[in-house]
């Protein structure tokens, strides 16, 4: 099962690269050795980044307690700051994806400008997904469990749609001067 999981991850990452290359109209993808080395690098780096993010989240969640502040008074502020932090991390993650995944010379400015609206949309969808799942589970535990799978599938579909729109935006930001629009 571990080999199957590794193959699925490698296949998915190769498919994502292929789609991003289609967005950037790249005819030739990286050679197989560069692709596999990039994929294995991501498989090593991604868990480390996730662990650092979770460690930072735990530290952040206890920050008000360390400062000796009343949690009841700062609850809404903490919630808003959490979602702003999520949007910031999503922005930098998406900009790295838009910069490094396609086999094209993508300027970081174009990738970053495209990542901002994509991250905001992704954060709003994430918030809606979590609130919907909690709401359905509160209504009925049994139906909440049944609703988890279709809600998750919808979230995955919308999330990838947002990511691909961001890839299109990064291409458009970088190549806007190449299009002649006649009045």
């Amino acid at each position: 099962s571990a080999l199957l999981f590794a193959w699925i991850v490698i296949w998915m990452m190769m498919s994502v690269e292929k789609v991003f290359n289609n967005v950037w109209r790249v005819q030739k993808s990286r050679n197989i050795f560069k692709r596999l080395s990039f994929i294995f690098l991501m498989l090593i780096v991604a868990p480390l980044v996730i662990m650092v993010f979770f460690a930072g989240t735990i530290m952040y969640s206890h920050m008000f307690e360390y400062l000796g502040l009343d949690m009841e008074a700062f609850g809404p502020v903490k919630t808003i700051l959490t979602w702003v932090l999520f949007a910031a991390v999503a922005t930098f993650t998406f900009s790295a994806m838009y910069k490094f995944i396609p086999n094209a010379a993508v300027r970081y400015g174009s990738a970053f400008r495209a990542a901002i609206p994509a991250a905001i949309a992704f954060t709003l969808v994430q918030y809606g997904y979590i609130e919907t799942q909690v709401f359905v589970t509160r209504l009925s535990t049994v139906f909440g469990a049944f609703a988890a799978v279709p809600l998750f599938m919808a979230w995955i579909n919308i999330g990838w749609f947002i990511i691909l729109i961001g890839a299109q935006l990064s291409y458009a930001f970088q190549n806007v001067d190449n299009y002649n629009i006649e009045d």
Side-chain angles (χ1 to χ4, degrees), residues 57-126:
T57 303
I58 290 170
M59 288 176 55
Y60 167 75
S61 67
H62 296 295
M63 178 181 67
F64 290 105
E65 293 172 14
Y66 292 146
L67 296 174
L69 299 173
D70 182 27
M71 287 303 297
E72 297 296 323
F74 290 101
V77 172
K78 182 180 172 185
T79 302
I80 291 171
L81 286 176
T82 301
W83 286 106
V84 168
L85 180 65
F86 180 83
V89 169
T91 300
F92 288 112
T93 303
F94 291 165
S95 65
M97 287 172 62
Y98 301 150
K99 167 89 175 122
F100 296 116
I101 290 178
N103 189 23
V106 181
R107 291 191 303 263
Y108 187 73
S110 300
F112 187 75
R113 285 191 303 167
I116 292 171
I120 291 169
F122 190 81
T123 302
L124 292 173
V125 168
Q126 177 74 17

Side-chain angles (χ1 to χ4, degrees), residues 133 136-137 139-148:
Q133 185 63 49
V136 171
T137 305
L139 288 177
S140 171
T141 306
V142 173
F143 291 124
F146 284 130

Side-chain angles (χ1 to χ4, degrees), residues 1-2 29 44 50 63 88 90 100 105 109 165 171 179:
S1 64
S29 61
I44 292 169
I50 290 171
M63 178 181 67
F100 296 116
I165 287 175
Y171 177 82
Y179 292 100

